[in-house]
Amino acid sequence: YPAANPRTDLATAAAGARFYTERGEAEASVARLAFTSQVDQGVSLASGAQRSGCWFAFQLPSHKRALVTSVEFFPPTNPGRRQRVEESVFEVQNLTGDTTWMTIASLKDAVLTGASIAQGWNTFEVSPPISAQAFRVRILPDGCQHHGELMRGVRFNGVLLDTTESASCAIELRRVYHPLSSAPGGFVETPATLSHEASRTPILTKLTPNQGTARGGTEVLLHGSGLQPLGVEEGTSVAESVQVFFNGYPCTVLEANETQALCVTSERDSGITAPSTSVWVAGRGRALVAGENSEATTFQYIDKWSNIYSWLDSEPPVDGDSVIVPQGQSILLDQDSPLLFFVLIQGLLQFDRKDLNFDATYIWISGGHLSVGSEEVPFLHRATITLHGDRWWTIELPFIGCKNLVVTNAGGLHGGCHTLNLRHSGEAATPCYVRSVGKLDLHGRPGISWTRLVQTVEAGDTMLHLEEAVDWPIGAMILVTPSWRGHQEEVRKVQALHEGGFVVEIDKPLLRQHLGDWWHHEAVHSPTDLRAAVALLNKNVLIQGDESSLRPGNSFQFGAHMATFFGGEMRVENVELTRTGQAANFGRYSSHWHNLSPGRTVDVMDKAYLRNNSYHDTFQRAVVVHGTDHCVVRDNVAHKTKGHSYFTESGDEHYALFEHNLAVAPQPHPLLLDDDMDAAGFWLPGFTGWHRNNLAANCIRGWRVRTISGPASRQTDLTFFNNSAHACGFGWHLKPPHAPPTLNTFTNFTAFRCSTGMFYYGTGNIMHEDHRFIECGTGHFMNHLSNNLWTAPFFTDMVMVGNINPNEGFSRSWLGIRTPMDSDYFFTSGMISINYFNTAVLYGCFKTACTMRFERAQWFNTTRRTRSDMYKSGIYWDLDGTLTGYRNGFVSWDEPFNRFPDVCQWETPEHANGIVCGLDNGTVRVRRLQVFGVEPWQTDGKNMNIYTSAGKGYIKFDWVPLYGWPIPVVAGKVYDMKINDPNDFQKMTLNYAVRSHVFNEHGWHYTRATPQNEGIKLHLNYTSWRNHFASSVGNRLHREPEIDDAFGAHALKLWADQCEPYNLTNSSRQKCNGEYTNETGWDLKKELEEHLPRLPEPDGRLTTVLPVRVVGDGSEASPWGPAPGMPSGNLQQIFTPRECPLGGCPTPAPPEGREGYDVFR
C-alpha cells in the first residue's frame, strides 16, 4: 500500500540491511556511514585504500523490497573534491530475476556551479518509482584514487514493502515440556504453517477525534478495514481481541467491526511521549497505519486553554499574568489569549484549528514546543502573535532579550552550548548535552511566495499575467518589482483571480511599466530573464510588534524579534513578519539563528528552515544567520527592511543556503553597521554559503561582500549561481579588497538596469561564468586584481547589452567593463557585446597603463569597442583577433610617436582615441615602458618628450601610483626621450613590460600566446657633461648598442657640432666627435671647463637596449624561459650618471703652503 506510507529513508528504516562496498563487507562501516551519517561528517576511504573506482551499497533483507521514489546526495564541501565525483551515478538492483545494476540518476543531472556540482543536498526524483532490493552510489571516474572526502551523505528514499503480498513460514515448537520430564526437551517441527496475507492485514486510516485530555476518558473512533477479530474463542472480550495504544498509552476497545473500532483513552500519567499509534487485531496481527505519525492517525493528549481545569487552582490567566506550560503538559490554545506578560513553554502549546490571537511581552520556548500547524497539516486559519513592550521599561532577559518569540533548549546554557568555541573542522561535532530540545513550528497556508510576470504591464494596467497559478487571498497586499533604475516597486491589493490563478487583478492601476519578457539574441546560448517579480506580502500566520512601535515614543521602531539561541529547532514557513526587529539593538532581528554550531548543529541540519515567509516594513533586517551551520533560507520575500535584508554575520557559518529569495528596497539604517546606510539585499562577511536563484530589486546594493577579520577571511567557497539584480545601485559590491584562498566559480548572474552591475574594490581567484550585464550604467567596475598570469579568466562567456531594443539606436549603458586600474592580469575569455552602438565597451588600466587580455569577443551593433584616454589608459591585448582583427593585436592610446605605418593603424572608429598595432602573423608586441625613480625631484611633474621615426609627442607625469612616466612602446622600435626640464636626471629606472608576459606561454582553453624575442632601443638625452653612466645591468660599450646586444648594454656620446667651437686637443676631440664611447674621460672635462662659461657645455646622449631573449619550444623537455644573461627579476635597468672616471677622480694638488698635509680625495 505505497500510497498509505510516507517516503522513508530506506537505509535506516530497513532492519537487518546489509552494508558493503566493492570490497565486500570488510568496509561495511564506511558504507553504513555513507547512508546513515549526519552531514557534518565526511565520508572517505581508509588510508591506503585508494583504487580506480569504488562504490558504496546496502541491501535489504531478502523478504523486503522497496519502491524508490528519490535519491539525495550531499557532495564534498571542498570544490576540488566535488569536481572529482561529479560523474558519479546512483544504481539499484534486484536479487532475483534480472540482477544487473540499473542507473536511476547521475550527478551530471545536478545543476552545475562552474566546474563542480551544486553544494548541499542534490535531489533526484525517480518517476515512476522503481522496485529494487539493493542500492549503491558508484564514484566515477577517479575520485577514489585520491585520499579525501568523497561525500557527506547519500539517501535512497521510498516505500518499504514485502516481496510478495502473501508469505508463509513453518511453525516450530521450541523447548517442549513433558509433565514427567525433569528438563525441557529440544524442538519439534510441525506440519503447520503460518500465512501472512495482505488481504488479512488490518489498516487504520483515520482517528476521530485525534485529540483529548491528558486525564483520559476520551472516546476515539478508529476508521479503516480489517478491524474485526478473526477466530476468537467464545467469551473473549473485545478489549482482549483488539488492542490499541496511543503514544504508548493503552486505549481500551469497547466495540469493533470490520471498518470501525471504538476505544476509550487512559490517563497520560508518564509525561509527553513520542507520537505513535499501534493497533493489534486478534487473528489478523498488527495493523498497517496509513501515514505513520501523520495527524490523521495520531492521537494527541492535550488540554484546552479554555477549560478551567487545565489551570492550576482552576484559574485561567488574565491580562498581565504570566503562564508556564510545564514539561509533560500539553495545552491547546482554543481561544484568544489575554495580554500576557511572560509565557514560558517547557511542554507543548499548540494552536487550535481556528482564528486566534496571542499577545504577550515575552514568549520563551525553553525545551518545549510551540506549534501553529505542522509540515504535514499546515495551519489554514488566521493566527496573529503580537509582542508588546518598549525600549526603556521592558527588561531584557540575558541572551534572549525582550518583546520576543525565542526558542532555546532546556539546559546547555550554563557552561554548555554557548561556551563551546570549537568550529567545524571536517569531523562530526558531538552535540553538547541538553535536557530537552526546544521547538518552534509555525506553518501557515502553503502557497507561492513570489513569482514572475509573463507579460509586460504598462502604466494604467490592472491585470498581472503570472508564470505560476496563485491562490492569493482577495484583499492581500502584493508588490511588483521595478524594471527601471530610479523607479520604485508598486504595492497593490488583490482584487480578483482569473484563469485559474494565472492572472491577478489588482485594485488600482499601476503607475509604471514592469517587464514580463525574456530577452533573446541569436548569439547568446540561452534567454535572459528580465521579468519583474510579483510577491505576496500578507500571510495567514502573522508575527508582529504592537502598534506603538510605529509611533514616536518609547516603543518607536522597537518591534518583535524571533530567534533561536545556542540551540533549538526553528521551522517557520508561510508566515508574515512585520513591525519586527529592534532598531539599534544588536542581536534583535526579525528572525535569527544565534550561535548554534557546532554544539547544537544537530538542531539545524536537515530540520530547521525559514521558507516562504514575508518580511516587510521591519525595523531591523529580515533574516540573520550567526554562528550556525546548515541553515536553510528559501523562497522568502523581504520588502523595506531596515538595514541589510538577508545577513550572514560572523563568517564562521558553513553551508548556509539562501535559495530563491526576493529582496526589495531595503532601507537605510543609521544605527547598525556603517554600511547599513547603503542597505543590501544580501550581506556576506566573506566567501561562504550557497546563494542560488535569488533576486535583488531596487536595492542600493544587491549583494554586499565585506570581508571581516577572523574565520570569514579564511572561508574558501561561496556558491553563487543564477542570481539576479534588477534596478539596483550595485548588483554586486565587494569592499574592502579580498580574494578567497581557492578559486571560486560564480555562474549565471544577471544585472539588469543597475547603475553598476558588479563592483570590486580588489579581488582575485574568482571566475565569473555566464554573467550578463543588461543596460547597466557600467557593467563591471574594478580597482585592483590579485590574479596572476595562470589564474582562470576573470570572466568567461560574458554578455553585455547596451540596449535591449536595437531599433532605438543608442546605448543606455555608458560603459561595459572598466577593468582594474593597475593590474596586468585581467583576462576575459568569451565576451558578447550587443547594441552599444557608438558607446565604448571596454576601458581600463587607467592608472598604470597595464595590459588586459581578451579572446573570443563578438560584436553586434557595436561600432565602438574600446576607449583610451591620453596618457593614462591601458593596453588591450587581443589574443585571437576578435578585438582588433589581428592575432596578438594590441590597442593603446594614440600617440604620434607610435604611428608606425608598417604595423599600426590610427583613427579607427572601433577604438576611440586608440591606435591598433598588429600583423597577420601575430608577431607584433606592444608593451608598457615605465620610467620612474628619477632624481632630482625638480623633474617631478614634468612632461617626457618622445621622438621616433613615426612622430613626436609627450607623456605626462603620473603622480599616483607610478610616480613616473608610463609609455606604450612597440617592440622592435627606437625611442628618443628627454625630460622637459633644464635639470638633467641624476638617476633613472627603466622597466620593460611584465616578465611573465614575455617569457611564458599563456592563455586558456582556446588561445595560447607564445613567447618570442623582442625589445626596444632607447636614446636618453642630457645636457650636462657625464664621464659615464653606472648601470644595474648590462655592459658599457665603445659603440652604439644594438638590439642584438645583451639586456641593458649601453654607451654614450657627445654631439660633434657642439664640440666644434672648443679648441680641443686631438685626443679629446676623439671623445667629442659624435661617436659612441664607454666614457668621455677626465682630460676632455678639463679642456671643456677652460672654455666655460664662455661656451655652452655640449649635450650628450645615452643609448641603451632592452632586448628579451627567449629559449625553449614549449615542450615538456624544453619549456619556455629566459635565455642566459637575462635579468632574474623585473626587466629593469637603473642608470646613475658619474663624473669621475672608473678609476676615480684625480687627487687635486695641495693648497699653496700646505704641502705634505693630507687632503680629502
Side-chain angles (χ1 to χ4, degrees), residues 577-590:
L577 296 95
T578 187
R579 306 202 295 256
T580 50
Q582 298 171 1
N585 199 1
F586 280 85
R588 308 294 180 245
Y589 310 114
S590 297

Side-chain angles (χ1 to χ4, degrees), residues 240-528:
E240 293 177 296
S241 57
V242 181
Q243 298 177 11
V244 177
F245 291 84
F246 295 141
N247 310 334
Y249 294 101
C251 185
T252 304
V253 177
L254 303 179
E255 57 185 65
N257 58 36
E258 181 65 23
T259 59
Q260 291 182 340
L262 181 67
C263 69
V264 178
T265 61
S266 59
E267 179 184 1
R268 190 195 66 197
D269 54 7
S270 298
I272 301 174
T273 55
S276 65
T277 300
S278 174
V279 178
W280 176 83
V281 180
R284 295 179 181 269
R286 295 194 180 277
L288 179 66
V289 179
E292 184 180 359
N293 295 337
S294 72
E295 288 194 11
T297 54
T298 301
F299 182 82
Q300 190 174 33
Y301 283 99
I302 194 164
D303 292 292
K304 294 184 177 181
W305 184 291
S306 61
N307 188 337
I308 63 172
Y309 300 111
S310 299
W311 300 97
L312 183 66
D313 299 327
S314 301
E315 293 184 7
V318 296
D319 285 355
D321 280 352
S322 294
V323 169
I324 299 177
V325 181
Q327 188 174 9
Q329 179 61 282
S330 301
I331 293 294
L332 182 69
L333 181 70
D334 60 338
Q335 64 182 34
D336 292 346
S337 76
L339 202 169
L340 301 169
F341 177 64
F342 183 83
V343 179
L344 180 63
I345 303 172
Q346 297 172 316
L348 171 66
L349 178 60
Q350 179 175 307
F351 279 43
D352 198 2
R353 303 288 178 164
K354 60 193 301 186
D355 292 348
L356 292 167
N357 296 304
F358 194 68
D359 292 76
T361 299
Y362 307 86
I363 304 176
W364 184 1
I365 307 161
S366 176
H369 190 186
L370 173 61
S371 173
V372 182
S374 65
E375 285 187 4
E376 296 80 10
V377 186
F379 189 85
L380 303 181
H381 295 80
R382 178 76 180 172
T384 302
I385 299 176
T386 304
L387 281 305
H388 300 260
D390 67 56
R391 191 180 299 275
W392 307 115
W393 299 105
T394 305
I395 297 173
E396 286 218 350
L397 300 178
F399 298 121
I400 65 175
C402 63
K403 205 170 185 178
N404 53 10
L405 170 58
V406 299
V407 56
T408 67
N409 294 327
L413 287 182
H414 180 67
C417 298
H418 75 294
T419 63
L420 190 61
N421 294 321
L422 298 175
R423 287 301 302 155
H424 181 87
S425 62
E427 299 298 327
T430 301
C432 59
Y433 169 76
V434 298
R435 293 193 304 274
S436 61
V437 176
K439 299 178 182 179
L440 173 61
D441 277 286
L442 305 177
H443 305 272
R445 180 190 298 273
I448 293 171
S449 57
W450 66 280
T451 185
R452 304 258 194 165
L453 293 172
V454 295
Q455 183 175 310
T456 297
V457 291
E458 305 291 346
D461 287 348
T462 59
M463 295 292 185
L464 308 179
H465 295 258
L466 305 182
E467 180 181 33
E468 301 166 277
V470 298
D471 58 353
W472 295 341
I474 305 302
M477 303 294 293
I478 63 173
L479 68 82
V480 187
T481 59
S483 294
W484 293 86
R485 286 196 303 273
H487 286 187
Q488 300 298 312
E489 66 280 0
E490 300 194 63
V491 178
R492 296 290 186 269
K493 290 183 179 180
V494 176
Q495 184 77 20
L497 299 178
H498 305 283
E499 299 183 20
F502 282 99
V503 178
V504 174
E505 182 179 355
I506 54 179
D507 62 329
K508 293 188 297 185
L510 295 170
L511 300 179
R512 305 174 185 90
Q513 182 194 65
H514 302 267
L515 294 185
D517 300 326
W518 292 78
W519 182 79
H520 300 259
H521 190 276
E522 59 184 7
V524 182
H525 64 84
S526 63
T528 307

